[in-house]
Amino acid sequence: MDIDCLPFKNTGYFSELICDYLDQKEELQSFYNRFPTLENFKGQIEEKGNNFPDENREILYNSLQNQYANTKTSKKTQEHIKQLKEPITFTIVTGHQLNLFTGPLYFLYKIVSTINLTTQLKKKYPKFNFVPIYWMATEDHDFDEINYFNFKGKKLQWNREASGAVGQLKTDGLQDVFDAFSNAMGSTKNAETLKRLFKSAYLEHETLTEATRFLANELFGETGLVIVDGDDRHLKRLMIPYAKQDIFEQISFQKVSESVENLASVSDAYGIQVNPREINYFYLIDGIRERIIASGDTFTLADSEKSWTKNELLKEIDDFPERFSPNVIARPLYQEVILPNLCYIGGGGELAYWLELKTMFETMKVPFPVLLLRNSVLAITKKQHGKLDKMNIPVADLFLKQHSFINKKIRNISNIDIDFSPQKQVLEEHFKALYEVAERTDASFLGAVKAQEIKQKKGLDNLEKRLLKAQKRKLKDHVVRMTEIQNELFPGQSLQERNLNFSELYLELGEDLIPSLIKALKPLELEFTIIKTA
């Protein structure tokens, strides 16, 4: 397996905000705590260690024991859960939705990044323990985002009516998805393994939460990964004081709104990732997850007649904390309250909204974690790499938009020089002399000279485009082959990892897939990884 890397900003697939964060742009430094370097984790360990109560560890341990009661757990995961009771143990967290059969390929990259960072930290700080955590987004309610996965260009979808938190959904109806998946896969050894995995996860577990826990544990259990479900009454008791500050004092709304405004003042290009609401909690009960809204002296639900006075809602939070579900703004705080966490690993979109949250954390006196961009990967098979070599296409060129990719290659292989830059330079020299003549004679003549220069440059551009178009026709076979390989590796002109499911790589690599990723991915190098499989 050959491994190469590319700076994230050279791929063209990452936002200006994330690229500036990776470059440690000075104007962004107030929006995060510590930049992700091995050395910076020393201060993060000290800060979190001084601000995480031992009683929270006991509650976390007991909740995990309950959550894992019906799960066959590896010795390493059992050890990690026990270590969480110790004040020298810290976590590294990534979170992900309960996508059907893991959804996009980057699910694996998130978790491998998390596992590998704990390994690096243990080598650097051997006196401490570091536990990789996968936070299941069991309380999300957007079923349409998670009810499918792509396999060999086809969308395999779970069709059913759904409402409320997706983690509580029954797995009824997934037999049809399994049948379609099974028929599309063939009967190789690796295909049979994938069939058993899907069947065991989704046809032999009652809820989507249970199915996802089983699946993630099967894939990563031997690495010691610990899977956390935040939809837990005992864990949510720890959230109560923070939920009250959000709902009754609107601290989250005030502080995040300020941060959004401050981020926008740094650059118009950043945009807003997530807008805070006045109340950042849902009410979760009996298959519904509805927004809580302040309405004068009462509190109501967005799509329900249910209402409370302030005192009634205070009592509801104290008596039934499990009924209060944090949204995208409040969930990160909840996570950091219940876990002895040092670092959150996420994609570009996730880190963009985390950068809005620091002042909210500071106001609520919760340490803000290190933010690390997860590893991104382009996996190229031996066959695909052979095609690239035959056409002499550098991997970096594959990241270009398709028209630029084609144009660059045609210019390189054409036996005619299609670049008219030298002619344009000569033209500019001629017009420079004309501008000097105009200035010495009649300044009003300058506009006519400028118009003529623009016209002639445009004429050269048009000639260049026509010549390029003619060469594309002449080299049509080459254009077809190069676009085919780019479309294979960038389906839908998007990153492979955002479209493919892990099963396509598993069919080729089998049980070597995850060990190979663990060997290849370096989370703190902060570069896009290109893997050429053997």
Side-chain angles (χ1 to χ4, degrees):
M1 179 177 285
D2 293 328
I3 300 165
D4 202 357
C5 292
L6 195 65
F8 280 108
K9 63 183 176 183
N10 289 5
T11 68
Y13 282 94
F14 293 82
S15 70
E16 184 175 321
L17 173 59
I18 293 305
C19 292
D20 285 349
Y21 173 65
L22 297 178
D23 286 341
Q24 301 182 65
K25 185 175 179 178
E26 187 176 349
E27 293 88 338
L28 283 178
Q29 289 178 7
S30 63
F31 295 94
Y32 59 91
N33 193 2
R34 294 177 178 87
F35 193 74
T37 66
L38 270 180
E39 291 70 28
N40 282 347
F41 275 96
K42 180 180 180 182
Q44 197 70 26
I45 290 168
E46 291 173 359
E47 183 182 5
K48 190 67 179 186
N50 291 332
N51 291 277
F52 194 77
D54 287 343
E55 53 267 31
N56 288 25
R57 290 181 178 277
E58 194 66 33
I59 292 167
L60 175 63
Y61 170 78
N62 290 332
S63 287
L64 286 172
Q65 289 292 92
N66 290 332
Q67 290 182 20
Y68 270 90
N70 298 316
T71 302
K72 186 178 179 182
T73 315
S74 73
K75 185 176 179 182
K76 196 166 184 180
T77 295
Q78 292 173 14
E79 187 178 302
H80 278 164
I81 292 172
K82 289 177 184 176
Q83 287 176 347
L84 286 168
K85 291 199 293 183
E86 303 170 7
I88 58 169
T89 300
F90 298 92
T91 63
I92 304 297
V93 178
T94 195
H96 197 66
Q97 296 169 296
L98 307 192
N99 294 74
L100 190 60
F101 211 49
T102 75
L105 190 53
Y106 66 77
F107 172 84
L108 265 64
Y109 305 152
K110 274 185 164 185
I111 293 180
V112 171
S113 299
T114 304
I115 292 164
N116 283 359
L117 181 55
T118 61
T119 302
Q120 283 184 271
L121 288 171
K122 185 63 179 177
K123 289 178 181 176
K124 178 70 174 177
Y125 304 101
K127 293 181 181 178
F128 299 96
N129 301 315
F130 303 95
V131 176
I133 300 284
Y134 160 43
W135 179 288
M136 293 191 294
T138 54
E139 295 178 61
D140 282 4
H141 61 256
D142 198 336
F143 180 66
D144 290 340
E145 285 189 3
I146 60 102
N147 69 342
Y148 70 93
F149 65 99
N150 297 316
F151 181 73
K152 294 188 175 180
K154 295 181 180 179
K155 185 176 182 178
L156 300 178
Q157 186 166 322
W158 182 15
N159 295 309
R160 57 159 293 170
E161 293 294 320
S163 64
V166 295
Q168 298 174 8
L169 291 176
K170 304 295 184 185
T171 53
D172 303 338
L174 278 167
Q175 180 70 48
D176 291 343
V177 179
F178 171 73
D179 290 342
F181 185 41
S182 182
N183 291 336
M185 251 193 303
S187 56
T188 64
K189 177 185 175 184
N190 291 339
E192 294 302 321
T193 300
L194 287 170
K195 291 175 193 177
R196 286 194 298 272
L197 189 59
F198 188 101
K199 185 178 180 182
S200 298
Y202 294 102
L203 305 186
E204 297 173 11
H205 288 85
E206 188 175 351
T207 67
L208 193 54
T209 292
E210 292 169 3
T212 305
R213 182 187 292 112
F214 173 86
L215 180 58
N217 188 63
E218 284 294 301
L219 292 172
F220 293 103
E222 292 303 317
T223 69
L225 181 72
V226 174
I227 303 159
V228 174
D229 177 8
D231 189 5
D232 182 294
R233 173 181 174 83
H234 301 290
L235 293 177
K236 284 191 174 178
R237 287 220 160 273
L238 300 175
M239 182 184 74
I240 289 174
Y242 306 96
K244 289 179 179 178
Q245 287 183 76
D246 183 293
I247 294 169
F248 302 109
E249 300 175 43
Q250 298 185 355
I251 285 177
S252 303
F253 176 70
Q254 294 165 20
K255 295 301 176 183
V256 178
S257 295
E258 289 171 11
S259 291
V260 167
E261 190 175 324
N262 292 336
L263 265 174
S265 71
V266 175
S267 172
D268 293 337
Y270 289 170
I272 299 169
Q273 189 65 26
V274 178
N275 266 316
R277 297 188 180 275
E278 292 182 349
I279 295 175
N280 295 284
Y281 283 82
F282 293 90
Y283 191 67
L284 182 67
I285 190 172
D286 297 335
I288 66 162
R289 187 177 186 243
E290 299 288 356
R291 250 185 334 115
I292 302 169
I293 300 171
S295 180
D297 294 330
T298 62
F299 296 84
T300 62
L301 298 182
D303 295 308
S304 169
E305 296 180 359
K306 191 172 183 63
S307 66
W308 301 268
T309 65
K310 179 179 178 179
N311 287 336
E312 286 171 343
L313 189 57
L314 280 165
K315 187 174 188 304
E316 185 84 358
I317 294 171
D318 286 332
D319 292 348
F320 305 103
E322 69 276 11
R323 295 179 181 176
F324 294 82
S325 176
N327 73 358
V328 67
I329 293 291
R331 189 207 63 78
L333 186 87
Y334 172 42
Q335 168 194 298
E336 297 301 311
V337 166
I338 68 172
L339 294 173
N341 193 45
L342 303 176
C343 175
Y344 184 77
I345 297 179
E350 291 176 284
L351 263 56
Y353 73 71
W354 272 88
L355 289 168
E356 299 175 2
L357 306 180
K358 182 167 174 270
T359 55
M360 176 188 79
F361 272 72
E362 290 172 342
T363 304
M364 294 193 183
K365 297 181 171 52
V366 177
F368 195 66
V370 172
L371 303 178
L372 177 60
L373 184 64
R374 66 169 173 81
N375 284 114
S376 281
V377 177
L378 173 64
I380 304 175
T381 65
K382 184 178 181 180
K383 183 178 179 182
Q384 289 167 335
H385 194 254
K387 290 179 182 178
L388 293 174
D389 280 348
K390 193 173 181 180
M391 289 185 280
N392 197 27
I393 295 174
V395 172
D397 285 357
L398 292 166
F399 288 84
L400 294 169
K401 298 302 179 187
Q402 195 156 90
H403 68 279
S404 300
F405 173 57
I406 294 169
N407 288 351
K408 181 178 180 181
K409 188 61 180 174
I410 294 302
R411 291 179 196 276
N412 288 342
I413 65 175
S414 176
N415 55 8
I416 303 171
D417 189 358
I418 306 176
D419 185 0
F420 286 2
S421 297
Q423 288 84 350
K424 290 174 188 175
Q425 193 173 352
V426 170
L427 195 64
E428 286 171 1
E429 290 298 321
H430 287 316
F431 274 94
K432 186 177 178 182
L434 285 173
Y435 283 125
E436 291 173 359
V437 170
E439 285 175 348
R440 290 198 304 267
T441 54
D442 185 352
S444 65
F445 187 52
L446 285 169
V449 174
K450 182 67 176 175
Q452 191 61 226
E453 181 186 17
I454 291 170
K455 182 179 178 180
Q456 292 197 31
K457 281 186 175 178
K458 190 174 181 181
L460 278 176
D461 286 339
N462 287 334
L463 285 172
E464 188 176 313
K465 287 176 183 175
R466 288 182 65 182
L467 187 57
L468 187 61
K469 191 174 181 180
Q471 284 299 94
K472 284 181 187 177
R473 285 196 299 268
K474 186 177 179 181
L475 300 167
K476 183 180 176 181
D477 288 345
H478 200 96
V479 170
V480 168
R481 283 184 283 122
M482 63 188 288
T483 53
E484 281 179 351
I485 188 66
Q486 190 189 42
N487 290 338
E488 276 183 34
L489 292 167
F490 290 77
Q493 290 295 287
S494 182
L495 288 177
Q496 178 193 68
E497 63 183 27
R498 297 177 187 170
N499 288 276
L500 265 61
N501 180 261
F502 85 96
S503 54
E504 294 195 42
L505 287 186
Y506 194 94
L507 284 176
E508 181 173 349
L509 298 176
E511 61 186 17
D512 291 334
L513 172 60
I514 289 174
S516 296
L517 291 175
I518 289 173
K519 185 177 180 180
L521 301 190
K522 307 283 189 286
L524 293 177
E525 288 191 0
L526 301 175
E527 289 191 307
F528 195 104
T529 307
I530 297 149
I531 295 175
K532 299 164 188 173
T533 62

